[in-house]
Amino acid sequence: MTSRCRLLWRRFLQLKKVNYTVVPRAFTHVPKKISLPCTLGFSLLTLIGLEKKLNAEDELILSIKHCVLFIQRNEYDKAEQLLHVALKQAQQIQHQLGITYIYDVMANLALEREQYDKAKKLFVVVSQRIMADGATEDDLRVIHISVKLARISHMNKEYTTAQLGYDWCLNKLNSAVSINPTEENVKLLAMAEDWYGRLFLECNKDDVGLRYMQSAYEKMTSLSDTEKEHLVIQLNDLGTVCVNIGKIDESIEYFTKAIDLGKQIPDFEDLGVFYVNLGRAYLKKNMIDVARKSCGHGWKLGVLMKNNDVKHEAELCIQEIKNMT
């Protein structure tokens, strides 16, 4: 997995987009640096095919690489401008694979920027181009795009359309994994399950949503290149859902795992998030002393990391404890 892919789609599962305030005073602070496996957020299309047909120093290849570099740096306007230049270059030399790849990068960039209607149109174009080139609906590239189209419907609150899309994709992906359980296939299945689970949360079907999210987490832990940052966010989200449906012991287990794993990440500034959520879970069990210790540690981390959101939430948690004693 390349650093380019890690950086490009690091925010796909951030809490601001997919987690919810599921309990009173639940802490849904957004970690700022979350990386996901490449296939979760980016594309199954790669530069490899282009570089085999063109000189690696070709102007088109360099333009595309500069586009990706701008995206890595969050310089989205510059990336989009250069993508249009690259698209024109590809069209001038009639490089069909290059055109498809650039449209795909444009679509993913639009999705990253929450420009959902634009992203949808571009993903449809990419899908049409791939299928015109011989791909069938069982092609993993087509399914990958279909998952993202379902996600777009989900984010636009078109829940019926989103559910139909997720169901279709999960059926295809489960078949693909049963036949060929590669890490690429399992990653895509895990992404679809996680997003589908979060759709059920929005529809107040927390038990169903939890099952899909748990399944996605288990698959991600089985893969060799899943980053710790991704797993700690999944653990925190699972703990939050468990609190909402009254599974407090399970929530404590998830939050504790998130803390243990978060400690292994150098300079992870959002570790205090998990301590505060753990403290609130302990409050549900009237374990005042343990809750005070956990929220207090979260406050210390907020101060140490100069993270005012964590510090503020920890202070609210501590005030809750005072009100109970």
Side-chain angles (χ1 to χ4, degrees):
M1 178 173 52
T2 65
S3 59
R4 175 180 69 197
C5 291
R6 289 191 185 103
L7 289 169
L8 183 57
W9 290 101
R10 67 196 180 286
R11 290 186 295 179
F12 240 128
L13 295 185
Q14 281 186 349
L15 302 186
K16 69 176 181 180
K17 295 183 180 180
V18 292
N19 198 17
Y20 311 95
T21 305
V22 294
V23 291
R25 293 257 32 94
F27 190 15
T28 53
H29 173 68
V30 181
K32 296 178 181 178
K33 298 180 181 178
I34 299 302
S35 302
L36 299 179
C38 179
T39 48
L40 290 192
F42 193 50
S43 169
L44 296 184
L45 305 177
T46 71
L47 282 173
I48 296 174
L50 294 175
E51 291 179 327
K52 284 181 178 178
K53 295 185 178 182
L54 294 173
N55 186 297
E57 300 301 318
D58 184 272
E59 186 177 359
L60 175 59
I61 296 295
L62 291 176
S63 294
I64 294 173
K65 287 183 175 179
H66 278 107
C67 291
V68 175
L69 183 61
F70 282 132
I71 294 172
Q72 287 180 337
R73 296 173 177 173
N74 296 334
E75 298 180 39
Y76 297 143
D77 290 335
K78 291 182 180 179
E80 187 154 8
Q81 291 172 5
L82 191 52
L83 279 169
H84 285 286
V85 173
L87 179 60
K88 186 175 181 179
Q89 291 173 336
Q91 290 170 335
Q92 287 175 340
I93 64 175
Q94 297 185 351
H95 195 290
Q96 299 305 316
L97 181 59
I99 294 170
T100 302
Y101 179 82
I102 292 165
Y103 274 130
D104 192 61
V105 176
M106 285 180 168
N108 281 289
L109 178 57
L111 185 55
E112 168 73 355
R113 303 182 79 176
E114 302 179 14
Q115 298 170 343
Y116 298 124
D117 291 339
K118 180 178 180 180
K120 179 179 179 179
K121 292 177 182 178
L122 288 166
F123 278 128
V124 168
V125 170
V126 175
S127 182
Q128 290 172 339
R129 291 182 63 85
I130 291 173
M131 296 188 77
D133 200 36
T136 67
E137 65 177 23
D138 294 320
D139 190 297
L140 198 61
R141 295 169 298 172
V142 175
I143 299 171
H144 189 112
I145 292 170
S146 298
V147 174
K148 291 177 180 176
L149 288 171
R151 174 65 173 167
I152 290 169
S153 295
H154 176 181
M155 298 309 292
N156 282 332
K157 301 187 184 303
E158 299 166 355
Y159 295 130
T160 300
T161 302
Q163 183 169 1
L164 289 171
Y166 285 135
D167 281 335
W168 184 87
C169 292
L170 286 174
N171 180 56
K172 295 291 184 182
L173 286 168
N174 278 307
S175 296
V177 168
S178 66
I179 297 170
N180 187 20
T182 64
E183 292 212 346
E184 298 297 313
N185 289 350
V186 173
K187 286 175 188 175
L188 190 53
L189 176 56
M191 178 181 77
E193 286 182 336
D194 188 271
W195 285 351
Y196 200 16
R198 296 169 191 275
L199 181 147
F200 282 112
L201 296 187
E202 288 193 36
C203 296
N204 298 315
K205 297 180 179 179
D206 292 351
D207 289 299
V208 180
L210 178 62
R211 289 199 296 272
Y212 276 105
M213 292 171 67
Q214 287 172 327
S215 179
Y217 170 75
E218 289 168 3
K219 289 179 175 63
M220 293 307 299
T221 58
S222 71
L223 301 176
S224 62
D225 64 349
T226 305
E227 292 191 338
K228 292 176 181 177
E229 291 96 330
H230 175 76
L231 294 177
V232 296
I233 296 304
Q234 282 191 300
L235 286 165
N236 182 65
D237 291 357
L238 287 167
T240 305
V241 178
C242 284
V243 171
N244 187 50
I245 60 180
K247 296 184 177 182
I248 308 303
D249 289 334
E250 287 187 40
S251 75
I252 290 173
E253 182 178 349
Y254 282 126
F255 290 138
T256 300
K257 285 183 178 179
I259 290 168
D260 291 341
L261 192 57
K263 289 177 179 178
Q264 301 174 30
I265 303 171
D267 302 318
F268 186 57
E269 66 180 65
D270 296 291
L271 186 60
V273 172
F274 312 135
Y275 275 103
V276 174
N277 281 340
L278 178 61
R280 289 206 172 105
Y282 278 128
L283 277 180
K284 294 285 184 179
K285 293 178 67 71
N286 291 315
M287 299 173 68
I288 305 299
D289 291 339
V290 186
R292 182 185 293 109
K293 181 179 179 181
S294 185
C295 290
H297 196 68
W299 183 85
K300 290 178 182 177
L301 287 173
V303 173
L304 181 64
M305 296 293 183
K306 297 181 180 180
N307 190 323
N308 290 328
D309 289 333
V310 175
K311 180 174 174 288
H312 175 68
E313 289 292 332
E315 288 170 349
L316 291 174
C317 179
I318 293 168
Q319 185 59 51
E320 286 182 55
I321 295 170
K322 290 180 179 179
N323 292 339
M324 294 177 66
T325 57

